[in-house]
Amino acid sequence: MLRFDHVCKRYPDAGDALMDVSFHLGYGEMAFLTGHSGAGKSTLLKLIAVIERCTRGQLFFDGQNLNRAGERQIPFIRRKLGLIFQDYKLLNDRTIFDNVALPLIVAGYSPQEIPRRVRAALDKVGLLGQEKKFPLLLSGGEQQRVGIARAVVHKPAMILADEPTGNLDPELSLEIMRLFEQFKQVGVTVLIASHDIDLITQMGYRTLRLDHGRLAAD
Amino acid sequence: MKTTSQQRNRQEHRKARRFDRGIAVKLLAYLDSHGQAFFSSLGRLLRMPFTSLMAIAVLAIAIALAGGFYIIVANMQQLTGSLESSNQISLFLKSNVSQQQGRTLADKLAARADIRRVKLISKQQALEEFKKYSGFGDALKALQQNPLPHVIQVLPENILFETPEIKQLLEELQQLPEVDFAQMDMQWVKRLQAIMQLARRGVMLLSFLLGLAVLFITGNTIRLELQSRRDEVVIAKLVGATHAFIQRPFLYSGFWYGFFAGVIAWLVVLCMVLLLEQPVERIASLYDGYFQVLFFGVGETLLLLLISAVLGVLGAWLVLNYQLRQLQPQ
């Protein structure tokens, strides 16, 4: 699913963020990405979502060399991904339904199919019946679950989560992680960046640890 | 053997049908996304009436200026258009030539092959006409004697074009002993036409500049709209929206701005024409003329709206093409 081959990323003003990172993630595998802040976790995820491009090395996603992907191909790569953010990145002036429907509308799903899929996704995260509410009326944990519903509504091949539990208390965090576990069980590849070591050890999955841009442990 | 090939045929047929349905669904979703952008951009415009009205008013003024000048020139052209056919020569006779001598000369000229028609206007007739239409009647009464000469109007055979023959005729007539001064009316018509051409060119240039203004004003309005919807654009990009998908509603916004500005500009020019109609017609009647003030026809109205809308879309497109590339998720 995902292969990093001696990947380096250097920002012009901030220096090296990733140095010689190589690993492979199989289809349907779930893994954690950890390390101190500034270790390069977010940069690594951005490279997969083609928000940034690597300066050296090769990066393969679903058999496609991301280095060679042109501007026009980027939207179609991102449609295979479900992105989840620490700050949820919801549109606060839109209803929950509209927020979750966005990836479907963007990908040109038919108007008949959209409500069905949105409800299925909301059902999976336990928010069915809240479609008409606005995000700010929900608690942090609920907002993150809306974010997860949005990330999985179009059935992506891989979920990328950047500190998804960063703003949540331990109990809610575990709940969210169990949710990711469920997606893994239906064959979705999951990569979660987190610095919550306790939670990661509790889950017991493969862990990639970054240290100052280098892969320190796998 | 036969059944397997039939089965295969049926299978392929089914596959093709599914493919067709796939395309139909995609097309439907595509049209739906256009429809949604079309109406949602209109809705957004109506939801903030003050901001959009300000932008539309500025656009409308620019378009109305161009349209107004166009109408003025069209009306002036109508004026010169009626003069175009006059290629006549006026012969101002010497003051010592009597009316009888003038009549004889007129008859002699009328017999010529290169002259179609001749008309003698005696000095008395000319004075009467002048009194009647100039408004200087009372002042003219104070004159001891009639200062006007007899005039013979000569209409050459070839009335439309200025040919060497007409020039030769003019010179010949100028040489006649009774003639003080021969003038071809075509000359001032030509000058007027030259001025009109200049005016037309001027309106074209002005319209071009005002069109550019419309382009930049819409562009700037769309840029502000884009800034206020930054988050939405970034998130749409993150979930895999194409450039075309993101810019679509903004292009429709540009369309609405241009279209509404065109409609308002049309109304503004209509008001201008209605306000000017009466005074213009009074002037026309004073000059013993009939003059119908022209306004945009159906074709011109549609063209005005089309150009306004296209400028709106183009202005939006120019800005989006640059700004959307800048707006990347961080």
Side-chain angles (χ1 to χ4, degrees):
Chain A
M1 185 80 222
L2 185 68
R3 190 153 65 86
F4 274 61
D5 238 0
H6 303 287
V7 169
C8 295
K9 172 68 191 176
R10 177 192 294 251
Y11 289 107
D13 40 356
D16 291 316
L18 288 178
M19 281 175 287
D20 199 27
V21 173
S22 299
F23 68 93
H24 176 262
L25 206 59
Y27 281 89
E29 200 177 338
M30 177 155 164
F32 285 99
L33 183 65
T34 183
H36 60 95
S37 43
K41 301 191 292 285
S42 294
T43 301
L44 197 149
L45 296 187
K46 280 178 187 169
L47 289 178
I48 304 169
V50 211
I51 296 168
E52 297 286 353
R53 303 277 195 157
C54 61
T55 16
R56 231 156 2 112
Q58 302 281 330
L59 186 50
F60 294 90
F61 170 69
D62 200 17
Q64 187 177 9
N65 187 340
L66 293 188
N67 290 3
R68 296 217 192 100
E71 282 292 319
R72 292 178 166 278
Q73 284 165 279
I74 292 175
F76 301 97
I77 294 167
R78 290 193 186 145
R79 286 176 197 182
K80 293 188 204 167
L81 290 169
L83 302 179
I84 293 155
F85 310 92
Q86 181 173 7
D87 57 356
Y88 325 132
K89 287 209 196 302
L90 301 178
L91 291 168
N92 293 327
D93 58 341
R94 305 287 185 88
T95 59
I96 303 301
F97 182 94
D98 288 347
N99 268 288
V100 176
L102 193 63
L104 302 178
I105 294 170
V106 153
Y109 280 77
S110 78
Q112 291 82 26
E113 205 170 351
I114 290 174
R116 200 163 52 73
R117 288 194 178 233
V118 169
R119 287 210 188 85
L122 283 173
D123 190 24
K124 207 165 284 172
V125 299
L127 285 175
L128 197 59
Q130 314 257 28
E131 299 104 289
K132 293 209 174 86
K133 283 195 187 161
F134 287 88
L136 292 180
L137 288 174
L138 303 181
S139 70
E142 285 172 322
Q143 288 189 42
Q144 189 55 293
R145 281 191 277 162
V146 173
I148 293 169
R150 183 182 65 191
V152 300
V153 71
H154 56 298
K155 296 200 164 50
M158 181 172 188
I159 292 175
L160 290 180
D162 191 4
E163 302 282 358
T165 60
N167 291 340
L168 305 177
D169 59 52
E171 205 173 314
L172 276 175
S173 299
L174 188 63
E175 227 175 87
I176 297 285
M177 288 302 177
R178 294 284 173 222
L179 207 50
F180 286 130
E181 212 166 28
Q182 283 175 28
F183 293 119
K184 180 224 176 270
Q185 276 154 14
V186 293
V188 183
T189 313
V190 183
L191 183 60
I192 302 166
S194 173
H195 61 258
D196 191 343
I197 302 292
D198 291 341
L199 191 64
I200 292 169
T201 37
Q202 196 180 339
M203 298 295 294
Y205 284 100
R206 181 180 169 193
T207 304
L208 304 160
R209 192 163 65 79
L210 283 171
D211 187 17
H212 294 100
R214 289 185 186 279
L215 198 58
D218 189 346
Chain B
M1 186 68 182
K2 201 177 171 194
T3 46
T4 51
S5 90
Q6 262 180 350
Q7 265 174 346
R8 200 183 312 131
N9 263 345
R10 209 174 301 143
Q11 232 168 20
E12 267 167 21
H13 187 66
R14 210 176 298 147
K15 212 187 284 173
R17 222 168 49 196
R18 204 178 312 139
F19 181 68
D20 278 351
R21 208 176 315 139
I23 284 191
V25 164
K26 280 262 183 266
L27 187 69
L28 216 67
Y30 179 73
L31 290 179
D32 192 64
S33 122
H34 265 279
Q36 228 155 43
F38 185 74
F39 289 111
S40 75
S41 56
L42 178 63
R44 205 164 5 252
L45 213 76
L46 298 178
R47 245 177 288 135
M48 33 180 208
F50 187 72
T51 327
S52 22
L53 210 65
M54 293 269 277
I56 289 172
V58 178
L59 292 173
I61 288 170
I63 297 170
L65 273 174
F69 279 119
Y70 173 81
I71 286 294
I72 288 171
V73 168
N75 276 299
M76 282 164 73
Q77 223 170 342
Q78 177 202 14
L79 202 66
T80 56
S82 62
L83 297 170
E84 214 152 3
S85 61
S86 92
N87 200 0
Q88 64 182 11
I89 299 169
S90 295
L91 302 177
F92 298 91
L93 303 185
K94 283 178 179 153
S95 55
N96 58 9
V97 176
S98 73
Q99 189 173 349
Q100 193 51 49
Q101 284 167 312
R103 167 71 50 204
T104 321
L105 177 63
D107 289 342
K108 210 165 74 188
L109 289 176
R112 287 180 62 136
D114 54 355
I115 291 174
R116 183 186 287 193
R117 211 166 51 225
V118 162
K119 188 183 172 198
L120 178 74
I121 300 169
S122 71
K123 55 168 87 174
Q124 287 80 14
Q125 270 175 310
L127 188 65
E128 285 307 311
E129 244 174 66
F130 192 57
K131 271 183 189 167
K132 196 167 153 197
Y133 295 118
S134 68
F136 291 122
D138 289 335
L140 287 172
K141 265 183 209 153
L143 289 174
Q144 296 292 320
Q145 62 185 77
N146 186 351
L148 300 173
H150 299 297
V151 175
I152 298 176
Q153 283 183 338
V154 175
L155 194 65
E157 196 49 51
N158 191 351
I159 47 174
L160 275 183
F161 307 104
E162 199 189 40
T163 56
E165 290 89 68
I166 288 181
K167 253 199 179 129
Q168 207 188 331
L169 178 67
L170 180 72
E171 267 161 37
E172 227 174 281
L173 294 175
Q174 177 78 68
Q175 299 306 319
L176 292 171
E178 294 93 337
V179 174
D180 183 24
F181 179 59
Q183 186 189 328
M184 190 152 69
D185 294 349
M186 192 63 187
Q187 225 119 42
W188 73 265
V189 170
K190 272 203 166 150
R191 281 185 203 129
L192 191 60
Q193 279 171 345
I195 291 171
M196 285 309 299
Q197 203 161 18
L198 186 70
R200 243 186 341 238
R201 187 72 51 90
V203 165
M204 240 150 74
L205 261 169
L206 201 75
S207 302
F208 177 72
L209 286 178
L210 288 167
L212 277 184
V214 169
L215 211 65
F216 294 139
I217 297 165
T218 357
N220 195 45
T221 311
I222 295 298
R223 191 182 60 84
L224 292 175
E225 200 178 315
L226 190 65
Q227 289 299 331
S228 72
R229 295 173 66 191
R230 238 189 114 81
D231 294 344
E232 203 179 325
V233 168
V234 167
I235 290 174
K237 279 196 171 187
L238 283 176
V239 299
T242 56
H243 190 80
F245 179 89
I246 293 174
Q247 72 174 5
R248 198 169 297 140
F250 293 103
L251 289 180
Y252 276 111
S253 277
F255 166 81
W256 287 119
Y257 278 118
F259 178 77
F260 283 130
V263 170
I264 292 174
W266 188 87
L267 290 172
V268 167
V269 176
L270 178 68
C271 289
M272 263 167 50
V273 166
L274 288 179
L275 280 173
L276 290 179
E277 198 164 29
Q278 253 190 333
V280 165
E281 268 164 15
R282 191 167 328 128
I283 292 172
S285 75
L286 282 176
Y287 279 93
D288 193 30
Y290 172 74
F291 188 73
Q292 169 101 50
V293 179
L294 286 176
F295 185 58
F296 294 121
V298 176
E300 283 164 322
T301 300
L302 290 178
L303 191 67
L304 175 85
L305 294 180
L306 182 75
I307 290 176
S308 310
V310 165
L311 284 177
V313 173
L314 207 63
W317 183 79
L318 284 175
V319 164
L320 290 168
N321 230 11
Y322 174 71
Q323 294 261 325
L324 276 185
R325 251 173 254 295
Q326 304 291 102
L327 212 62
Q328 293 293 350
Q330 287 304 306

